[in-house]
């Protein structure tokens, strides 16, 4: 293995984001320990968010240096893509003016196909959210366990790849905007015939909130999740009315243990594929789609000649 110094971007304010396709814990130690020690020598804020086995291997290899590194279990950290972006954003801001250096290992096992797409999108969005943070990150992917599709996503979402040698430029890398747009172009199954629906306009927002609350309660959704879904539907409905126009429509149904709320209407009322994925500027009013994504488990968006559709999902 060669040293993991970057051949691509090493400006202090530019993020360096590498995907590391490893074969065993020994390879993790060989690549990650020099990277971590380099950060400690530079007085970076150094953290490891990884699988238990890799945390143990890195602690042991670092010896006394491990005391200066923050360690977090990946399962505790990677529970919700947008909340994870928010957590890293808080970490980066709290450590300023120090630079952040992280070994990260997103959790892929046990995810549904929809969740896999959203976590791949997360890995891509990181490049936009932290582009000028100066952060250094190596994201670990276990070749022994992960499906080839996930390893392919690693190459698409990381500008640099470490795979037996490197890091090297990833020829498959796709910028966050086009990658996220590709995620949104995946066809959504139509609403079932059993879906319940109502029209949405500015005079009926109270009815919209009551409609969602009643159905969420009927299906056994807990109080906090119910409150969050009502707030999210209200925000999206307001956006649909303000930027799309009437008649918009709200439909609700249950699918695979989730309450699904879909708001659809004429016009294109979201600006781009990154909308709501990057932390808003401090001066931005309201919570917008960033807040909606924080409140729901999954947010799906599609726009075509017939208009715009935003589908919200939260487990019951």
């Amino acid at each position: 293995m060669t040293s993991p110094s970057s051949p691509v971007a090493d400006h202090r304010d530019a993020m360096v984001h590498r995907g590391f396709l490893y074969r065993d814990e020994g390879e993790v130690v060989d690549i990650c320990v020099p990277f971590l020690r380099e950060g400690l020598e530079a007085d970076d804020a150094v953290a490891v968010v990884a699988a238990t086995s890799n945390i143990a291997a890195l602690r042991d290899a670092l010896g006394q240096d491990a005391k200066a590194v923050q360690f977090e279990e990946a399962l505790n950290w990677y529970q919700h893509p947008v909340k994870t972006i928010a957590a890293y954003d808080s970490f980066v801001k709290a450590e300023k003016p120090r630079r952040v250096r992280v070994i990260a290992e997103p959790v892929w096992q046990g995810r549904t196909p929809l969740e896999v797409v959203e976590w791949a999108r997360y890995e891509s969005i990181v490049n936009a959210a932290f582009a000028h943070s100066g952060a250094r990150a190596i994201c670990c992917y276990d070749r022994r366990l992960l499906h080839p599709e996930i390893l392919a996503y690693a190459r698409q979402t990381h500008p640099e790849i470490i795979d037996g040698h490197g890091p090297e430029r990833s020829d498959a890398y796709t910028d966050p905007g086009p990658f996220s747009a590709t995620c949104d172009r995946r066809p959504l199954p139509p609403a079932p015939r059993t879906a319940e629906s109502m029209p949405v306009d500015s005079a009926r927002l109270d009815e919209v909130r009551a409609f969602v609350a009643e159905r969420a309660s009927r299906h056994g959704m807990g109080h906090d999740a119910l409150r969050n879904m009502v707030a999210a539907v209200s925000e999206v409905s307001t956006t649909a009315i303000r930027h799309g126009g009437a008649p918009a429509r709200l439909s609700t149904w249950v699918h695979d243990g989730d309450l699904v709320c879909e708001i659809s209407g004429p016009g294109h009322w979201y600006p781009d594929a990154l909308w709501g994925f990057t932390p808003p500027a401090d001066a931005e009013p309201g919570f917008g789609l960033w807040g909606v994504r924080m409140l729901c488990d999954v947010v799906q968006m599609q726009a075509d000649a017939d208009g715009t559709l935003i589908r919200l999902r939260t487990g019951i």
Side-chain angles (χ1 to χ4, degrees), residues 46-64:
V46 180
V48 173
V49 184
T52 302
S53 59
N54 285 333
I55 287 178
L58 291 173
R59 277 187 187 275
D60 184 61
L62 284 166
Q64 291 298 311

Side-chain angles (χ1 to χ4, degrees), residues 4-282:
S5 59
S6 171
V8 179
D10 202 24
H11 302 296
R12 183 166 182 84
D13 292 337
M15 181 185 189
V16 176
H17 188 209
R18 305 171 191 144
F20 173 29
L21 281 54
Y22 70 89
R23 294 167 177 79
D24 54 43
E25 282 76 19
E27 193 173 26
V28 171
V29 168
D30 289 345
I31 286 294
C32 296
V33 168
F35 174 81
L36 295 171
R37 287 201 165 118
E38 182 180 286
L40 294 176
E41 291 171 5
D43 193 34
D44 292 345
V46 180
V48 173
V49 184
T52 302
S53 59
N54 285 333
I55 287 178
L58 291 173
R59 277 187 187 275
D60 184 61
L62 284 166
Q64 291 298 311
D65 287 339
K67 295 178 181 179
V69 177
Q70 300 180 50
F71 290 92
E72 297 283 349
E73 293 282 347
L75 284 171
N76 297 333
W77 194 262
Y78 291 97
Q79 297 188 14
H80 183 287
V82 179
K83 291 179 181 177
T84 302
I85 291 175
Y88 276 123
D89 184 58
S90 296
F91 180 42
V92 168
K93 289 176 178 176
E95 293 296 338
K96 283 185 176 179
R98 299 171 75 203
R99 188 169 62 183
V100 166
R101 180 177 295 248
V102 179
I103 298 296
E105 189 165 16
V107 177
W108 297 98
Q109 293 178 292
R111 305 291 193 194
T112 66
L114 176 57
E115 289 171 332
V116 166
V117 170
E118 291 305 302
W119 279 106
R121 193 202 306 253
Y122 155 86
E123 283 279 63
S124 179
I125 296 295
V126 162
N127 295 292
F130 302 102
H132 306 293
S133 67
R136 302 291 188 260
I138 292 179
C139 298
C140 300
Y141 287 71
D142 190 337
R143 303 182 65 105
R144 300 166 298 183
L145 302 176
L146 298 180
H147 191 278
E149 179 188 37
I150 295 173
L151 301 180
Y153 279 142
R155 297 182 181 278
Q156 291 177 270
T157 59
H158 295 80
E160 301 178 42
I161 289 292
I162 304 169
D163 182 11
H165 50 79
E168 296 180 342
R169 291 181 185 273
S170 174
D171 292 337
Y173 177 69
T174 305
D175 286 337
F179 183 87
S180 187
T182 298
C183 296
D184 288 332
R185 283 197 292 270
R186 292 168 178 259
L188 295 176
R193 294 181 180 179
T194 54
E196 300 178 85
S197 63
M198 65 169 289
V200 174
D201 58 50
S202 57
R204 305 186 70 171
L205 287 176
D206 285 342
E207 293 178 47
V208 164
R209 287 186 279 266
F211 181 90
V212 173
E214 193 279 327
R215 278 132 189 96
S217 179
R218 184 202 308 166
H219 292 296
M221 180 173 277
H223 173 75
D224 290 344
L226 183 156
R227 182 184 58 192
N228 290 347
M229 181 62 92
V230 169
V233 169
S234 180
E235 179 71 16
V236 174
S237 298
T238 300
T239 300
I241 295 163
R242 182 180 300 140
H243 299 290
R249 192 154 197 87
L250 165 66
S251 299
T252 69
W253 66 94
V254 172
H255 179 255
D256 286 347
D258 292 341
L259 178 67
V260 183
C261 293
E262 177 183 284
I263 302 92
S264 58
H268 287 194
W269 30 277
Y270 68 88
D272 58 56
L274 299 185
W275 186 38
F277 278 109
T278 55
D282 292 339

